């Protein structure tokens, strides 16, 4: 069983001391490809360096997370444009809107989101998107660009059934993390995840974040790692009512098509 983790923050400081072990564990668990998330100027550069160290195993996105929208400059724009021209960057993002934490002003978030969607459209690149507590404005922005984007994924989807249907109506892909394993706030996803077509569903860990709450034994450092992707897959398979092996094949093939990864 081969899996693709479509979102892991491997440039996070918690991986600096043991990244090789983390990658070895992921490979042993059946995770054959990891897409490293770029979310800031520094993160984009670091992700590029990682990909160059582990060609064929790691690929990267290039973008600025809404938390960092206030830091976005013309240089940020130029860096993303430079990176998407490389073979190792497979999507623009992480970009989008986050009205939960509000680390950046809403107008800045919207402007930076639109600038990155423009880059994706001009370069015919898929988009790796972040959405939290901003559904209406998110949809209004994406709708203006969707026809010019080859593909778009709502990464780490945590929303309602109605929001899921709205995203699917825009022909978007859906990324599911260990949030679905959280009995306090994520189990609602199990009630309607079956509505996602098999060719638009992908899985991810968002490591080192979102450690599945039902994972046993729990690591002492509470750090999530790509090797936990099979655990997420099992929860997803149970929710959609299909065998684990089938969902593994489906999500892997979908990710390969979405990011134009080698088969």
């Amino acid at each position: 069983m081969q899996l693709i983790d479509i979102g892991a923050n491997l440039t996070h400081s918690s991986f600096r001391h043991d990244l090789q072990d983390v990658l070895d564990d992921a490979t042993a668990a059946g995770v054959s490809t990891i897409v490293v998330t770029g979310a800031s100027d520094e993160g984009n550069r670091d992700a590029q360096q990682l990909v160059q160290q582990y060609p064929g195993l790691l690929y990267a996105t290039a973008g600025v997370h809404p938390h960092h929208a206030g830091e976005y400059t013309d240089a940020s724009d130029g860096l993303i444009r430079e990176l998407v021209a490389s073979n190792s960057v497979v999507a623009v993002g992480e970009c989008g809107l986050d009205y939960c934490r509000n680390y950046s002003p809403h107008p800045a978030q919207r402007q930076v989101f639109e600038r990155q969607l423009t880059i994706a459209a001009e370069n015919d690149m898929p988009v790796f998107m972040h959405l939290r507590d901003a559904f209406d404005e998110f949809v209004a922005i994406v709708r203006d660009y969707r026809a010019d984007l080859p593909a778009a994924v709502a990464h780490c989807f945590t929303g309602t059934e109605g929001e899921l249907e709205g995203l699917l109506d825009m022909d978007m892909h859906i990324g599911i993390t260990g949030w679905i394993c959280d009995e306090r706030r994520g189990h609602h996803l199990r009630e309607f995840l079956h509505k996602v077509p098999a060719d638009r569903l992908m899985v991810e860990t968002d490591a080192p974040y979102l450690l599945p709450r039902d994972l046993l034994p729990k690591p002492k450092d509470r750090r999530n790692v790509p090797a936990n992707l099979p655990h997420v897959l099992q929860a997803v398979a149970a929710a959609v009512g299909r065998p684990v092996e089938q969902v593994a094949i489906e999500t892997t093939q979908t990710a390969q098509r979405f990011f134009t990864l080698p088969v």
Side-chain angles (χ1 to χ4, degrees), residues 1 6 56-57 72 94 96 126 133-135 151-152 159 161 166 170 179 182 186 203-204 216 218 225 245 247 252 255:
M1 183 169 63
I6 70 162
L57 172 61
Y72 197 95
E94 180 176 359
D133 292 355
F135 180 77
E161 183 174 3
M170 291 195 298
W179 188 280
D182 188 333
V203 290
E204 53 182 320
L216 295 174
K218 286 182 171 59
V225 293
E245 294 78 7
V247 178
T252 296

Side-chain angles (χ1 to χ4, degrees), residues 69 74 124 133 209 220 240 242:
D74 288 343
D124 197 33
D133 292 355
Y209 312 113
K220 293 180 180 179
V240 300
R242 298 192 293 275

